[in-house]
Amino acid sequence: AEAIGKTLAESGTEVDVRPMTDVIDLTPYRAVVAGSAIQSQQWLPEAMQFMRTNQAVLAQKPFAAFLVCMTMALKNENYRQGVTDWLQPVRALVKPLHEGYFAGKLEINKIPSFSNRLKFHISVLFGVWKEGDHRDWNAIRVWAESLKPVLVVSQSGIDG
């Protein structure tokens, strides 16, 4: 989110990057970009709560969504194809004008559930995952750059 905000700000867009749990009112914003890490093939609960709480307001604004998950770091294209389905609960609430899918960062010691930590340890041992930062900062910047015309053009259509 910070890299997306920074890229948009560098192109002259006024940007606030805030945790979803800190956002109380979306009415001052002309457009919204929201994203979540993925756990168990789903947006985080607090991210989905944000979407439900703000569904009506988001439907009136240009909206883009992204997700970050380790599946995008896998080399096998077949595994990555299903990732787009993980945005379906978001799409059911508000249709994003643009969607981004990015690899994440695997820090096993930060996984809250012992059983999930164990699963990731075993997966790393078998070579399914690699621990570390797999984010492609260039891909994130390119996606963020592509947002400005989509959000600005869409805003013109909404206001017009």
Side-chain angles (χ1 to χ4, degrees):
E2 290 176 7
I4 292 166
K6 181 180 178 192
T7 300
L8 288 168
E10 287 170 352
S11 70
T13 303
E14 189 176 333
V15 177
D16 285 338
V17 178
R18 301 175 61 197
M20 290 179 183
T21 54
D22 291 354
V23 176
I24 296 167
D25 182 13
L26 288 175
T27 55
Y29 299 100
R30 293 176 24 174
V32 176
V33 179
S36 177
I38 295 294
Q39 287 182 355
S40 301
Q41 301 180 355
Q42 298 178 348
W43 265 33
L44 297 176
E46 59 269 25
M48 286 307 300
Q49 183 58 50
F50 171 86
M51 295 301 301
R52 285 188 292 275
T53 300
N54 295 289
Q55 179 181 6
V57 176
L58 289 169
Q60 301 299 314
K61 297 179 181 292
F63 170 67
F66 68 94
L67 61 78
V68 179
C69 67
M70 285 305 299
T71 303
M72 292 303 294
L74 294 174
K75 301 291 184 225
N76 186 328
E77 179 73 27
N78 292 330
Y79 291 119
R80 293 194 314 265
Q81 287 177 352
V83 170
T84 59
D85 295 340
W86 302 345
L87 265 180
Q88 188 52 42
V90 172
R91 287 186 213 111
L93 296 170
V94 181
K95 176 74 173 113
L97 296 173
H98 210 37
E99 298 177 2
Y101 305 91
F102 308 110
K105 184 176 178 180
L106 177 57
E107 295 176 294
I108 294 174
N109 63 336
K110 291 188 176 181
I111 297 172
S113 160
F114 174 77
S115 63
N116 285 340
R117 279 195 310 274
L118 184 60
K119 289 175 195 173
F120 271 104
H121 271 300
I122 291 168
S123 296
V124 167
L125 289 173
F126 282 101
V128 175
W129 310 103
K130 286 185 184 175
E131 197 163 5
D133 191 345
H134 301 276
R135 293 172 290 187
D136 181 341
W137 297 109
N138 187 55
I140 293 168
R141 277 189 287 279
V142 167
W143 184 77
E145 288 168 358
S146 74
L147 287 178
K148 186 169 181 181
V150 171
L151 298 178
V152 170
V153 167
S154 298
Q155 183 64 38
S156 297
I158 287 173
D159 285 344

